[in-house]
Amino acid sequence: MIRVQAEDFDVGRELEQLCEGNHAIGGVCTFVGLVRDMAGDHSGDKAIQAMTLEHYPEMTEKALIEIEAEAQARWPLEATLIIHRFGRLEPGQRIVMVATASAHREAAIEACHFLIDWLKTKAPFWKLEETPDGGQWVDANAADDEAAGRWVEGKPAKTKPGAAE
Amino acid sequence: MIRVQAEDFDVGRELEQLCEGNHAIGGVCTFVGLVRDMAGDHSGDKAIQAMTLEHYPEMTEKALIEIEAEAQARWPLEATLIIHRFGRLEPGQRIVMVATASAHREAAIEACHFLIDWLKTKAPFWKLEETPDGGQWVDANAADDEAAGRWVEGKPAKTKPGAAE
Amino acid sequence: MKLLYFAWFREKAGVAQEQASPPDSVTTVALLVDWLKSRGNGYAEAFNDASVIRVAVNQEYVSMDYPVAPGDEVAFFPPMTGG
Amino acid sequence: MKLLYFAWFREKAGVAQEQASPPDSVTTVALLVDWLKSRGNGYAEAFNDASVIRVAVNQEYVSMDYPVAPGDEVAFFPPMTGG
């Protein structure tokens, strides 16, 4: 299911509804994106007071439906949810929620990761940050392109490089 | 923070409390494990009526604290939460919740994935499933060992193999 | 043809949406961009850096060589930053 | 020495916890397992397959060559299935 809305959402209630009555679900992975009070990843930590998300309504719904369908085609999912807000949001407020439910945790986690990576570069949203220097449009960044690109080629990952020290 | 309890928990409220007032958080990744009504991954889908989680109380808390500390040492996390239930649970009920909050989504998602993988093999819990044939202890499976093993060697993954068709 | 502008394309062009009637020779997105740039002022500035022009025709994300025709809805915007 | 048994170790041994006084020669987990097996019955069955014996000494997960001493808390259990 996808939703595009100005209003906030209740993560716990959304998850309840997503899983309700489906006892084939063994794991649910959720990602919630929040407005940070520092700008960008590489801009020297400039404080932001708020962020306004602009989008292209006629296209947004189509794009989210396509992204969700792609996840369902790639992983064995029992249920999926994408909620994306638009409008003016302040630090600490929720921007986006994606949730994926599956019999198996790997499928749920990978599909959740995929959804948020693809939303970053394939959903028609643009972010205007309010900073002490005025409004600044958030630039797309190379790391997001790279993250989205990981899911473009090859087969579903069975293993992934270890992360340890 | 870690908690070991018989009682259920409210995922939405836990996430609120985890992030409250910390505007450096840009993303929160959550995994919730639920009791499935089918047994195991490889047992031919035998129906289960309930599952009883036994644990080793004096060791459980220590083990969860160590696992959480490991995640915090490996990734730049603003907040982490592990809640693990014990006792008798029925299909659809929550078993476990892990949540990781970070400025950046990659850190949150990878750390969440790590936590649930390590809980599977390093937290002293054992599951007794009630089936039509009587009680059956859930075997540890090779896939879980492999999943946990991915995080043992090497450095934190900057990229991971694509998953596409 | 209906033209839409988002984010700083809207700010630079000075318009959120407009009806336009480019000449018949404008048969692709790239030719439409050239024609819009020729209007000068904000348009020239908006379309100055080809590397950050993204376009959707009838709400589908397309490349610069995609065909356009009268009646199409064509939207211009910078790289998307969803999520 | 306090011995604890979990999951099917508890069921097979027929006891959840007990006090035991193995001879002084029992200085490692592996030697303790041999001594327990020698009690026969449920113990022999519980410890029959070495590949599925997991052990914690004083609540720390350890290997079979780990030392044990009077006063330790030693727990036996199958591979963990948390999460």
Side-chain angles (χ1 to χ4, degrees), chain B residues 36-75:
Chain B
R36 293 169 61 204
D37 60 7
M38 297 294 174
D41 289 85
H42 38 64
S43 62
D45 291 336
K46 195 175 298 175
I48 73 159
Q49 284 111 36
M51 171 185 280
T52 298
L53 282 106
E54 177 176 335
H55 76 127
Y56 178 5
E58 294 79 6
M59 183 178 172
T60 309
E61 196 157 327
K62 276 191 187 183
L64 297 193
I65 287 170
E66 279 174 23
I67 293 169
E68 182 181 51
E70 187 69 29
Q72 291 182 341
R74 292 184 188 203
W75 286 277

Side-chain angles (χ1 to χ4, degrees), chain B residues 56 59 124 126, chain D residues 6 9 52-56 61 75-80:
Chain B
Y56 178 5
M59 183 178 172
W126 301 276
Chain D
F6 292 97
F9 274 80
V52 290
I53 303 172
R54 299 292 183 272
V55 64
Y61 191 54
F76 294 100
F77 42 80
M80 298 178 271

Side-chain angles (χ1 to χ4, degrees), chain D residues 2-25:
Chain D
K2 184 180 181 184
L3 303 182
L4 304 178
Y5 305 89
F6 292 97
W8 51 259
F9 274 80
R10 174 174 47 71
E11 295 180 336
K12 289 185 176 173
V15 60
Q17 64 178 70
E18 62 182 330
Q19 288 293 332
S21 300
D24 291 348
S25 60

Side-chain angles (χ1 to χ4, degrees), chain A residues 105 158-159, chain B residues 41-42 117 120-121 139-150, chain D residues 79-81:
Chain A
R105 76 181 184 288
K158 282 256 169 67
T159 62
Chain B
D41 289 85
H42 38 64
D117 278 355
K120 288 271 168 191
T121 62
D139 282 334
N141 72 60
D144 285 339
D145 287 341
E146 190 191 301
R150 289 182 311 197
Chain D
M80 298 178 271
T81 55

Side-chain angles (χ1 to χ4, degrees), chain C:
Chain C
M1 194 178 288
K2 183 181 181 184
L3 304 182
L4 303 178
Y5 305 89
F6 291 97
W8 53 258
F9 274 80
R10 175 175 45 72
E11 294 180 336
K12 289 185 176 173
V15 61
Q17 63 178 70
E18 62 182 329
Q19 289 293 332
S21 301
D24 290 348
S25 60
V26 170
T27 54
T28 68
V29 170
L31 293 168
L32 178 59
V33 167
D34 288 342
W35 179 71
L36 287 167
K37 281 171 79 170
S38 74
R39 290 173 159 186
N41 297 330
Y43 293 99
E45 200 191 334
F47 292 103
N48 179 51
D49 179 358
S51 73
V52 290
I53 303 173
R54 299 291 183 272
V55 64
V57 174
N58 300 327
Q59 300 99 42
E60 287 287 343
Y61 191 52
V62 300
S63 60
M64 294 296 280
D65 58 359
Y66 197 82
V68 294
D72 281 350
E73 177 175 300
V74 183
F76 293 102
F77 43 80
M80 299 177 273
T81 55

Side-chain angles (χ1 to χ4, degrees), chain A residues 31 34 36 41, chain B residues 24-27 76-78 101-108:
Chain A
F31 182 87
L34 305 171
R36 293 169 60 204
D41 289 86
Chain B
I25 296 172
L77 301 173
E78 295 288 332
S102 175
H104 304 290
R105 77 180 183 289
E106 281 299 322

Side-chain angles (χ1 to χ4, degrees), chain D residues 21-44:
Chain D
S21 300
D24 291 348
S25 60
V26 170
T27 55
T28 68
V29 170
L31 293 168
L32 178 60
V33 167
D34 288 341
W35 179 72
L36 288 167
K37 281 171 79 170
S38 74
R39 291 173 158 186
N41 297 329
Y43 293 98

